[in-house]
Structure formats: C-alpha cells, structure tokens
Amino acid sequence: MASPGFSNRNNGKRLGITEPISLGGPTEYDVIKTRELEKYLQDARLYESQEEAVSREEVLGRLDQIVKIWVKTISRAKGLNEQLVHEANAKIFTFGSYRLGVHGPGADIDTLCVGPRHATREEDFFGELQRMLSEMPEVTELHPVPDAHVPVMGFKFSGVSIDLLYAKLSLWVIPEDLDISQDSILQNADEQTVRSLNGCRVTDQILHLVPSIQNFRTTLRCMRLWAKHRGVYSNVAGFLGGINWALLVARICQLYPNALPNMLVSRFFRVYTQWRWPNPVMLCAIEEGSLGLQVWDPRRNPKDKYHLMPIITPAYPSMNSSYNVSSSTLRIMLEEFQRGNEICEAMEANKADWDTLFESYGFFEAYKNYLQIDISAENADDFRKWKGWVESRLRQLTLKIERHTYDMLQCHPHPGDFSDKSRPFHSSYFMGLQRKQGVPVTEGEQFDIRATVEEFKQSVNRYTLLERGMEIRVSHVKRRNIPNFVFPGEVRPLRPSKVTWGSRRDSELKVSGDAQPDKLCEGKTDLDGSDGGQKRKLVDDTVETDSRYAKSLHLCSGEVHAASPPVSNISSCSTKCESMDANKKVDDSIAVSLEKIENPADIPYQNGQIEVLSRCNPPNDSLPAAANTSSSKEAEKMALEKKMAGPYVSHQALPELDELEDDSEYRHQVKDFSRNMRSSQMEPSEESVSVSAPVNSSNGAGPSTDSYNGGLEELEVKHITFVCAPIFRLSKFSCHYSIMFRIPCGFLYLVACAVFVLKIFCLFL
C-alpha cells in the first residue's frame, strides 16, 4: 500500500520533465483487465505471506540493533570518551525491491548501514562487524566482497538473505532521524560511500516521482515477471536489472498519470517500441549539484556518448543505470518490446490473454549454435568467489565477439546459469550465436573467434584471488547436443502441442496473406511476413509459471538424447562456418555452422525515426472502441515525438577517431544503428551460406583495440576524418570494409593510401 506521505505529495503537481501524453482515466475495460492482472500475479506467487513479512521486519530490527552495538564497540576501542561512546550510532536503511514494495517470497533484502566518520570500511565494517556476524548462530553463508565496485557483505540471517552495504559519513554522530535524501549528506564522502548511498537515494526519489505508488508497484511486478520469463532480466548479462525496470515503469506512470496497470503495461510496450534510443529516459531534470560530483552528460563526458540505452537515475549525482547494455542485448530487448506491443494490441481485440504475454522464451530452441562456458572449483568457498568473478566478466565476452567480428556475429547471453548435479562445484553458462541477418554472404566464409575467446579467458584468469582448481572452459555446442541438465528434470522435452504467440501469429498472417496480401499490415516494414530466417523464433513451452527465470525457462526440442555429451576440454574456440552436413563433424577448433539459422531478425529501429514498427490492425468489430484506436495511437505518437525531442539528441553523433583512442573500454560500443538496422531489412539469402570475419593477428586483422566501426556514409571522401591516422591502421580499416561490402581489401588499401598521400601533399602546399 502507498504511504500517505507519498500519495499526497504530488497532488496538483506535474511529474517528469515533460507534460503527460494522456490524462485520460480508466475505462471499464481497464478495470476488468487490471483485476485479471492482479489475480494473475497472485497466482504466480509474487506476493509474500504475512508470516514472511513479519519475519523480515524482525530480521531488520535485529540487524539494526547489531550495528548499534558494533559502532559503540569500535568507538570505545578507538579511545573516544564515554559521552561520544554513548552517542555513537549507526542506522540501517533498505533499498531495491524491498523498499519499492515489489519483492516476492524468498527475495533478498538490500540494506545499507550508515556509520560515523571514525567507523572505517576496511578495518571496522569488514573487520569487527564481520567477526561479530560470523560468531552468531543465526547468521549463515557469510560472504564479504570488499573489493567489489560497491563493497558488499552477503549473508543469511535466520534464513533471510541480506546484502549489506556500508556508507561512512563525515559526521561524528549519526542522528536517528537522518535524511539521506539531502545532497549535503554526500559532502566529503568517498566514491564507495557515494555509490552505496545511491541505491537508497534513487529508490526514495522514484517513490516521490510517480503519481500513484500502488499502480506503479503492480505494473512493476508485472514487468519484472515478464522480463524474467522472456530472459531479459539481468544487469550483469547486459540486459536490465531491477532498478532499470523500475525507472522505465516510473516514466510510463508519469506519462499516463491516471492510468491503471492494464493500460500502463500496454503503454510501456507501445512507448519503448517507438523510443529513439539512445535518447535517455529521465524522471526529472539532471541537477549539476554543488559538490562537484560527475553527472551523466554526453556533451561533456566522452564515455557517456557511447551508452546505447541510457536510463538515468533521478538522485544526485545522476548516472546511467544501464551502461552494461550492448548492441546485441539492445536488439533482443527491442524485439521483446515489439512482441509485447503486438500481444497487448491483440488483447484489446480479445485475441490474446495474460498467459500469452508471459509465455517463457525458448532459449535452447531459438538458435542452432551456442557457446558453453563451464566453470569449476575445488571447494564451495572457492567456487562462490570464482563464480561471482566470472559472472562479472561474461559480458566482456559478448562485447569482444561483437567488436572483433564487426557485429557480424551476434550473441544472445542466457541470463542464468545451470548446474550438473553429478559434478560438484560446477556451473555452465550459454550464449546463443547467429550471424547478422540481411547481410550478403558467400559460401565458405568464416568466423574465427579463437583469439577472441583466448583473450577473454586470459582476462578471467587474471583474477587476484585465483586458487588451484579454479578453471574455465569455453566450447561450442549445437542445439541437438545441449546437455540435458539445462532442462527441467534433466529431461529433454518433446515439442509442445501448445501453440505459442509467434507460431499462431505467423499462421494467421500466412492465411491472411493468401487472401489479402496487400492489406496485411500498415507501416514501413513487414515484420510479420513469411521471410523465414529473418524472424526471431519465439518458441515456448507449457510448464508452470515460476518467478525465477532460471527454473521457469520452458524449452522444447524435437530430439531426445539419452545422455549429455561430455564437455569438451578445449582451451580455444573457433566459429567456423560450413554447411550443415550431417556427415561433417565438429573438430577441435569448435566449428560453428551458421547456415540459414532459424533465428531472430533485427527489428528495424533507427535513431531519429519515430515510427519504427509495423503492426497489424485488429478487425473493426473486435472491440466497441476499436474505431478510435487508430487516431488515438497517432495522437500518442505525436506526443511521444515531442517528449523525445530533448536536449541530448545531439549525443548520437559518431565520435572522432581520436576520441575512440582515448577510451578503449567504451569505443567498441559506438554503433551506427541506422546502418545496422537498414541492412538487416534486406532479404536474407535462401542458400545455406556463411559469413566470414577472420581474426588473424599475423595479418593485422586480429583482436585490435584500434578498430572503428563507423557508418555507411563514412566511405564518402568528404566524411573520412581518419586519413591523418598512422598508415599502419589503414590495412585494418580496409579489411573491415572489405568484409562488410565485399570489396577487395587490396583495392581499399590502395585508395586509403592515395587519400593519405594526397592529404600530406596538401598540408605541405
């Protein structure tokens, strides 16, 4: 329930940086569908019981008492006088899903301990407090991570999972009524304290910036469940985490302040399908502040220019909460937004229901080729440390593959891990592989990513706490050889008889296409046509809904294998394109055939373009209000266009080469999405063909931090800004464009050299 303080705070006051798109109230249809949604969420067991809620409150109260005893203990040990010892205080705050009120049964509680200036993080928090907790019988699975980006201490207290952060303020005494929402609290705070405080400050700001907390919570629960079922809920994998989804939902609540959750869910998909990324999503204006802390600003900070899906936190200092998003994960999320939008429109036409929206994504049926990353250790403590480190680095493998293949090989990371019960202290991660759709290819071309994978493994093995037995292996597996332990019950399921949204939609469109091919859809791109290989294959299973994605992912396959194949102990990986000949075997270089894979196609989206989707109009007799939907949508599109015409549109410009050289971590994320998506609209080849982007350090086309992935227009002489670069880089650019446009590399090299010489000649003149 919303607290009175929050619900009354914004009466008569505009929320957000723009006017709302619509002030319309709910219809009878919205009321009915919202009740259905609430019942669906309850049946999915997303709400904790009263007993569990009381237990959590007791644990938080006990933890607050412990930190108060701890701070008095260290104050006395440091020689402070009795008055200061008596006044010494520490306080516990909550944030995350628990503070937002959208946590479910068994979820952990994100907590923050705020202490005085003399209570240090290294010696006192990760020293004395950790010792006190380790000696308590009710505390189990204590796992401190002092060297994390945000230092955290994880443990279970009476069975309740706790993630405890620490913030050291510049105060001698922490008042019991401390207000951490004030910017002055950050004065003289170190970076780790600022980051630790950010979670609480952002959570409180979100609750202050939404018009109805109850509607916000219901909508957020819905979107979190949907994201987990569709495999796009994971910040560490390059998708979106809890705070990201909360910010996206909060912005929709601002744009439709009087809407109920049913309408908010529908508008969520409609708005973000049309959103012109990388325009930022912001709940309020970015404040510069008076403390000199760096805020997100692509006009000043070079790194901020390369963020693909900026979702800005509302509390000072404002940051991009979604910097982990890559071009591959952005593409996948946009496809899912498109799917959600189509289903919501079908629901308005009584052709779909909530079950359809929450169908789980069949990850292990969506691709024919996968990378399997296996990790292992010798004991539980080493495995926990090793697993956390590897998970934090997996995103780098996706980025390296994208960069080294110039986005021609696309990766889809699975957000969870899988364990083989027969192998203790072992986990496996998977990435779906596909060649980029719509790019002309010729037979016999290859992706050779051995050097890329070896580079990734070397970076992982530089772990400072590496122990004997900590191992990582990367291998290629085909869909038919996926190990059985990834499936529920370790049994490879047969293809379900249930008709999924994707198959039902394609079937209807095929029938409609035979009858009225010219009246199928309206829009610029026929996303629902029969272009086979271009469409993302959405295959789902009929298993019970569960809020944990890793256990609720429902898969299907036409084959049943008696046992899983042994994991290949291979230290390097090569993705070699060849035709899918049943007689050919995968050699030790891990050859991946990328023949006409039954996989997703790129949803066409372009910077600077508002209308980026094609939708089929429902029949005129589907709903009484259907006749008004077209004009209503057009009005909303025009309103949305104004909302996105913000001050940061200019940051979409591609950077100069010198800027890229200054920042090796972010420059490979600079993508010309207009070029990528235009090329993906081309008809795919019907032949069994492959794409090549060989990595070979001997010829200069290997893993390079100097590569530049520019747009199509950069081939024109008047736009070539890198002619003054050293001559040895020209060969790399020549190979890049040779691969993309099928022009002989030697010819491009000669042209580049000629331009370079001409430029030098002009300088001398």
Side-chain angles (χ1 to χ4, degrees):
M1 294 295 292
S3 62
F6 286 136
S7 60
N8 296 329
R9 187 179 186 276
N10 299 305
N11 287 345
K13 188 177 180 180
R14 190 193 79 184
L15 297 171
I17 59 175
T18 63
E19 294 291 340
I21 291 178
S22 172
L23 293 173
T27 64
E28 184 178 353
Y29 171 82
D30 289 325
V31 174
I32 295 174
K33 297 299 290 185
T34 296
R35 289 174 181 169
E36 292 179 3
L37 175 60
E38 292 172 343
K39 184 178 185 304
Y40 188 97
L41 298 179
Q42 290 174 354
D43 293 342
R45 300 180 181 178
L46 296 188
Y47 297 89
E48 66 179 356
S49 64
Q50 185 63 31
E51 293 77 11
E52 187 173 1
V54 172
S55 175
R56 289 175 182 270
E57 291 292 337
E58 293 176 350
V59 166
L60 289 173
R62 180 78 176 99
L63 185 60
D64 190 62
Q65 294 175 357
I66 292 172
V67 297
K68 293 181 186 307
I69 296 173
W70 160 73
V71 76
K72 292 182 183 298
T73 300
I74 62 171
S75 297
R76 185 174 287 107
K78 291 178 182 290
L80 273 65
N81 60 52
E82 283 301 318
Q83 181 179 355
L84 287 177
V85 171
H86 178 73
E87 294 176 349
N89 189 32
K91 190 168 174 58
I92 290 291
F93 294 88
T94 62
F95 62 100
S97 62
Y98 184 83
R99 178 71 182 94
L100 289 173
V102 295
H103 61 286
D108 58 358
I109 305 178
D110 295 314
T111 56
L112 170 70
C113 173
V114 176
R117 61 188 305 171
H118 59 275
T120 65
R121 179 178 292 101
E122 293 77 12
E123 296 180 2
D124 299 325
F125 182 76
F126 286 107
E128 179 63 22
L129 181 58
Q130 179 182 335
R131 184 194 63 78
M132 290 174 59
L133 292 173
S134 64
E135 295 176 352
M136 296 181 177
E138 58 264 50
V139 175
T140 58
E141 301 181 22
L142 181 62
H143 178 50
V145 190
D147 55 347
H149 184 66
V150 180
V152 60
M153 192 185 307
F155 55 92
K156 285 189 175 181
F157 197 108
S158 299
V160 178
S161 296
I162 301 289
D163 284 335
L164 182 62
L165 311 183
Y166 180 67
K168 184 185 74 169
L169 303 185
S170 59
L171 302 174
W172 283 105
V173 177
I174 303 298
E176 195 63 30
D177 59 349
L178 178 68
D179 183 7
I180 59 175
S181 66
Q182 300 297 320
D183 292 349
S184 59
I185 207 75
L186 303 175
Q187 193 156 10
N188 299 325
D190 56 54
E191 290 186 8
Q192 293 173 321
T193 292
V194 172
R195 288 194 290 263
S196 298
L197 285 167
N198 192 53
C200 291
R201 289 165 53 82
V202 168
T203 303
D204 287 346
Q205 275 293 93
I206 291 174
L207 294 174
H208 279 85
L209 291 172
V210 293
S212 169
I213 291 183
Q214 189 59 40
N215 290 340
F216 164 75
R217 285 173 171 167
T218 302
T219 307
L220 181 55
R221 284 185 185 273
C222 171
M223 296 314 305
R224 284 164 57 96
L225 179 65
W226 173 85
K228 292 175 182 178
H229 279 203
R230 300 306 300 174
V232 291
Y233 189 98
S234 174
N235 184 277
V236 70
F239 296 106
L240 301 181
I243 190 64
N244 309 126
W245 293 108
L247 291 169
L248 290 181
V249 170
R251 184 60 181 137
I252 299 300
C253 292
Q254 290 180 342
L255 294 175
Y256 300 90
N258 298 322
L260 289 181
N262 168 70
M263 183 178 179
L264 292 173
V265 170
S266 172
R267 296 308 183 266
F268 179 97
F269 292 117
R270 180 179 297 180
V271 168
Y272 292 123
T273 297
Q274 301 176 43
W275 196 268
R276 291 181 298 170
W277 305 105
N279 280 342
V281 173
M282 299 186 294
L283 300 186
C284 59
I286 295 178
E287 298 179 3
E288 292 294 334
S290 59
L291 302 179
L293 299 176
Q294 180 174 298
V295 298
W296 185 86
D297 189 346
R299 299 167 300 184
R300 300 180 183 177
N301 309 321
K303 290 184 179 181
D304 295 345
K305 294 181 181 179
Y306 312 147
H307 295 165
L308 305 181
M309 193 181 190
I311 303 173
I312 311 304
T313 56
Y316 176 77
S318 297
M319 309 173 186
N320 176 23
S321 63
S322 54
Y323 60 87
N324 274 351
V325 173
S326 68
S327 59
S328 287
T329 53
L330 175 59
R331 171 183 55 83
I332 292 165
M333 286 188 286
L334 290 179
E335 291 170 0
E336 289 300 332
F337 291 163
Q338 169 72 12
R339 172 189 177 272
N341 185 58
E342 292 174 353
I343 292 177
C344 286
E345 291 185 350
M347 291 174 64
E348 294 175 2
N350 292 326
K351 291 187 175 182
D353 54 19
W354 293 113
D355 284 321
T356 308
L357 182 66
F358 291 109
E359 286 174 353
S360 294
Y361 178 60
F363 179 80
F364 292 105
E365 274 295 319
Y367 303 94
K368 289 186 178 179
N369 299 279
Y370 298 84
L371 279 184
Q372 179 175 340
I373 301 96
D374 293 279
I375 63 170
S376 59
E378 290 188 349
N379 56 67
D381 187 54
D382 286 352
F383 179 69
R384 183 172 60 248
K385 296 176 182 177
W386 183 234
K387 182 179 180 182
W389 167 251
V390 173
E391 284 182 347
S392 70
R393 308 303 299 173
L394 281 176
R395 171 178 164 269
Q396 297 301 319
L397 178 58
T398 301
L399 296 177
K400 288 177 185 294
I401 292 176
E402 290 176 352
R403 180 171 74 247
H404 293 169
T405 62
Y406 305 105
D407 273 339
M408 296 299 172
L409 181 61
Q410 297 173 332
C411 302
H412 182 171
H414 189 284
D417 67 289
F418 301 88
S419 299
D420 186 352
K421 295 181 180 179
S422 64
R423 303 176 60 188
F425 316 126
H426 165 268
S427 280
S428 294
Y429 302 85
F430 292 86
M431 290 184 182
L433 298 176
Q434 68 175 26
R435 64 173 174 81
K436 183 178 179 181
Q437 298 297 296
V439 178
V441 295
T442 58
E443 188 172 0
E445 292 180 310
Q446 302 178 2
F447 284 113
D448 188 350
I449 59 172
R450 286 174 294 184
T452 304
V453 171
E454 191 61 31
E455 179 184 331
F456 164 74
K457 291 172 61 179
Q458 290 176 1
S459 69
V460 171
N461 286 325
R462 285 196 285 267
Y463 182 42
T464 56
L465 301 179
L466 188 67
E467 299 288 346
R468 181 179 178 181
M470 292 181 177
E471 297 180 356
I472 179 171
R473 294 179 297 276
V474 182
S475 56
H476 160 243
V477 292
K478 297 197 175 181
R479 181 169 61 194
R480 61 177 178 270
N481 295 327
I482 291 293
N484 288 342
F485 63 77
V486 306
F487 302 109
E490 298 190 358
V491 177
R492 188 182 300 270
L494 298 174
R495 291 191 179 276
S497 58
K498 175 184 175 181
V499 178
T500 63
W501 166 253
S503 61
R504 180 169 67 248
R505 178 192 54 189
D506 292 342
S507 176
E508 291 177 356
L509 289 172
K510 184 176 180 181
V511 173
S512 301
D514 293 338
Q516 294 178 328
D518 296 329
K519 297 183 180 180
L520 203 69
C521 293
E522 67 174 12
K524 298 180 181 178
T525 306
D526 184 7
L527 299 181
D528 300 322
S530 57
D531 48 350
Q534 272 199 336
K535 178 144 306 280
R536 184 178 186 198
K537 188 175 181 183
L538 304 175
V539 185
D540 310 292
D541 269 313
T542 55
V543 191
E544 287 185 11
T545 300
D546 189 280
S547 61
R548 295 186 61 188
Y549 177 82
K551 293 185 178 180
S552 68
L553 186 62
H554 312 315
L555 311 169
C556 53
S557 172
E559 303 172 10
V560 179
H561 293 264
S564 302
V567 177
S568 176
N569 186 12
I570 300 173
S571 62
S572 63
C573 180
S574 166
T575 311
K576 182 179 180 181
C577 301
E578 59 183 359
S579 65
M580 296 288 282
D581 188 344
N583 297 324
K584 291 185 179 180
K585 297 182 180 180
V586 179
D587 60 15
D588 291 341
S589 65
I590 317 176
V592 179
S593 171
L594 294 177
E595 61 140 3
K596 193 183 178 184
I597 300 175
E598 299 175 14
N599 54 22
D602 296 331
I603 292 293
Y605 61 101
Q606 301 179 4
N607 293 339
Q609 177 178 332
I610 296 299
E611 178 60 59
V612 295
L613 68 156
S614 299
R615 291 189 295 265
C616 294
N617 288 333
N620 292 332
D621 57 351
S622 58
L623 279 177
N628 299 324
T629 57
S630 178
S631 59
S632 175
K633 291 176 185 176
E634 290 301 322
E636 289 188 19
K637 290 175 187 176
M638 295 178 62
L640 182 59
E641 181 177 357
K642 295 180 181 179
K643 311 305 175 191
M644 290 188 291
Y648 293 102
V649 177
S650 60
H651 87 276
Q652 299 170 19
L654 291 172
E656 300 292 335
L657 181 65
D658 292 339
E659 293 182 63
L660 296 177
E661 292 171 353
D662 292 338
D663 193 345
S664 60
E665 180 181 0
Y666 286 88
R667 64 173 170 265
H668 62 273
Q669 290 193 18
V670 183
K671 312 294 178 187
D672 184 350
F673 283 107
S674 297
R675 172 181 61 79
N676 289 346
M677 294 306 112
R678 283 197 297 268
S679 63
S680 65
Q681 293 177 33
M682 299 168 57
E683 287 296 324
S685 173
E686 293 298 325
E687 302 178 42
S688 176
V689 294
S690 307
V691 183
S692 173
V695 177
N696 188 343
S697 57
S698 62
N699 61 11
S704 169
T705 58
D706 293 323
S707 59
Y708 175 77
N709 189 8
L712 183 63
E713 63 276 14
E714 290 167 23
L715 289 177
E716 300 178 18
V717 177
K718 64 180 180 180
H719 290 300
I720 297 180
T721 60
F722 49 78
V723 292
C724 293
I727 191 71
F728 69 89
R729 292 197 187 118
L730 296 178
S731 62
K732 297 180 181 180
F733 295 131
S734 302
C735 292
H736 173 197
Y737 290 115
S738 173
I739 291 167
M740 291 180 60
F741 304 108
R742 306 298 177 262
I743 301 174
C745 182
F747 175 75
L748 284 177
Y749 180 73
L750 291 176
V751 172
C753 288
V755 174
F756 175 77
V757 172
L758 181 61
K759 182 68 175 180
I760 297 298
F761 180 73
C762 292
L763 289 177
F764 278 109
L765 291 179

